[in-house]
């Protein structure tokens, strides 16, 4: 012990990450925070601040669409509303804890809102890009309304060596996982599926 007070919520996430490379937490944010983030996402969507998850020429776009169909809006941390500011303060706290207790060396982050229109999905993948291996932990918080039913699909599937873990995108649920280790997928959605998704990164680019 280093004399600082342990945070049981964070300790549970760390223990899960060590044991299974992922963690699911349902009380990371308050209901109020989640509703605020949901409204922020919906406002941005109305302002048409969302883009297809990747841009390119028409051919490229077809290829991309067969891999992922979500719309995203990157969050600019110099222009946050009050709710978003609260979100990032919590991320600061969590990140500082991880760095202090696990020496993870998180130095940067990037977050976006994501909206999956009906019929879209994100095929099995790892969260690594081209020559960038700085993404260490993926963090997803679902911003759906209360009544997400199993028949709406949209499960996050995490592929482990022996197992496929299906996680429903329940309102406020937070999933944290090792970006470069766990392959994962979003199954087709039958109802608009909302989230704030991001990465804690080991260095600035
Ligand atoms: C991603 C992703 C998972 C989810 O955006 O890279 O895998 O459940 N999201 O939304
Ligand atoms: Mn992913």
């Amino acid at each position: 012990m280093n004399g600082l007070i342990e945070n049981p919520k964070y300790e549970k996430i760390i223990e899960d990450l060590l044991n299974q490379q992922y963690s699911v937490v349902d009380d990371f944010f308050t209901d109020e925070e989640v509703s605020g983030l949901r409204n922020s996402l919906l406002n941005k969507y109305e302002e048409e601040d969302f883009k297809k998850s990747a841009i390119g020429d028409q051919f490229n776009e077809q290829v991309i669409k067969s891999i992922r169909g979500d719309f995203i809006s990157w969050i600019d941390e110099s222009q946050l509303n009050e709710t978003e500011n609260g979100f990032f303060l919590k991320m600061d706290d969590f990140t500082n804890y991880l760095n202090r207790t696990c020496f993870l060396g998180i130095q940067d982050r990037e977050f976006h809102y994501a909206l999956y229109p009906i019929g879209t999905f994100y095929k099995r993948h790892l969260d690594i890009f081209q020559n960038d291996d700085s993404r260490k932990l993926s963090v997803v918080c679902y911003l759906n309304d209360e009544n997400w039913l199993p028949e709406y699909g949209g499960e996050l599937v995490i592929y482990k060596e022996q197992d496929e873990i299906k996680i429903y995108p329940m309102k406020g649920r937070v999933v944290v996982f090792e970006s470069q280790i766990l392959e994962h997928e979003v199954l087709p959605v039958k109802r608009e599926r909302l989230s704030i998704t991001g990465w804690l990164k080991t260095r600035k680019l």
Side-chain angles (χ1 to χ4, degrees):
M1 268 296 81
N2 52 15
L4 289 160
I5 295 166
E6 268 193 46
N7 179 321
K9 220 180 272 185
Y10 296 163
E11 287 296 328
K12 169 74 167 62
I13 297 174
I14 291 166
E15 193 188 315
D16 285 347
L17 286 171
L18 289 172
N19 291 332
Q20 55 188 29
Q21 293 85 50
Y22 74 92
S23 185
V24 182
V25 202
D26 284 332
D27 60 353
F28 196 96
F29 298 106
T30 64
D31 278 350
E32 221 180 350
E33 288 170 324
V34 175
S35 300
L37 289 166
R38 178 182 161 81
N39 290 335
S40 306
L41 182 157
L42 291 171
N43 287 338
K44 276 205 178 167
Y45 195 62
E46 265 167 34
E47 292 162 13
E48 295 181 30
D49 219 0
F50 275 62
K51 296 197 171 52
K52 270 188 206 139
S53 44
I55 36 164
D57 55 33
Q58 263 184 357
F59 171 72
N60 235 329
E61 215 165 281
Q62 279 310 111
V63 175
I64 297 295
K65 250 195 224 159
S66 68
I67 300 169
R68 66 185 291 191
D70 55 328
F71 287 71
I72 62 176
S73 173
W74 288 100
I75 299 172
D76 175 354
E77 285 196 44
S78 69
Q79 299 194 14
L80 300 178
N81 66 32
E82 209 178 309
T83 315
E84 293 167 335
N85 196 46
F87 173 90
F88 283 107
L89 286 175
K90 262 196 179 170
M91 278 302 142
D92 284 340
D93 191 55
F94 179 49
T95 302
N96 290 337
Y97 197 91
L98 288 172
N99 284 343
R100 200 174 70 226
T101 60
C102 307
F103 308 104
L104 274 193
I106 305 295
Q107 296 184 27
D108 199 9
R109 64 186 167 208
E110 52 190 354
F111 277 83
H112 63 55
Y113 291 114
L115 184 148
Y116 286 72
I118 292 172
T120 60
F121 49 80
Y122 195 158
K123 289 269 157 97
R124 183 169 173 167
H125 65 282
L126 281 173
D127 287 345
I128 325 183
F129 287 106
Q130 286 94 357
N131 298 315
D132 175 10
D133 63 356
S134 63
R135 288 176 168 183
K136 177 78 186 159
L137 291 177
S138 305
V139 180
V140 190
C141 175
Y142 299 110
L143 305 177
N144 298 309
D145 60 18
E146 276 80 8
N147 46 8
W148 189 274
L149 300 173
E151 56 260 41
Y152 299 156
E155 301 98 315
L156 168 65
V157 184
I158 291 180
Y159 292 95
K160 302 273 293 169
E161 262 162 47
Q162 312 286 350
D163 251 338
E164 290 178 11
I165 295 103
K166 286 192 179 177
I167 300 162
Y168 280 99
M170 308 312 289
K171 181 182 185 185
R173 174 167 285 169
V174 170
V175 185
V176 184
F177 58 93
E178 297 251 15
S179 309
Q180 306 190 27
I181 295 178
L182 289 187
E183 293 193 351
H184 56 281
E185 168 170 19
V186 177
L187 297 181
V189 306
K190 301 191 181 76
R191 201 184 216 217
E192 224 167 53
R193 176 192 194 269
L194 315 181
S195 63
I196 180 168
T197 301
W199 294 272
L200 304 183
K201 305 174 19 160
T202 48
R203 64 193 137 59
K204 292 194 201 302
L205 283 176

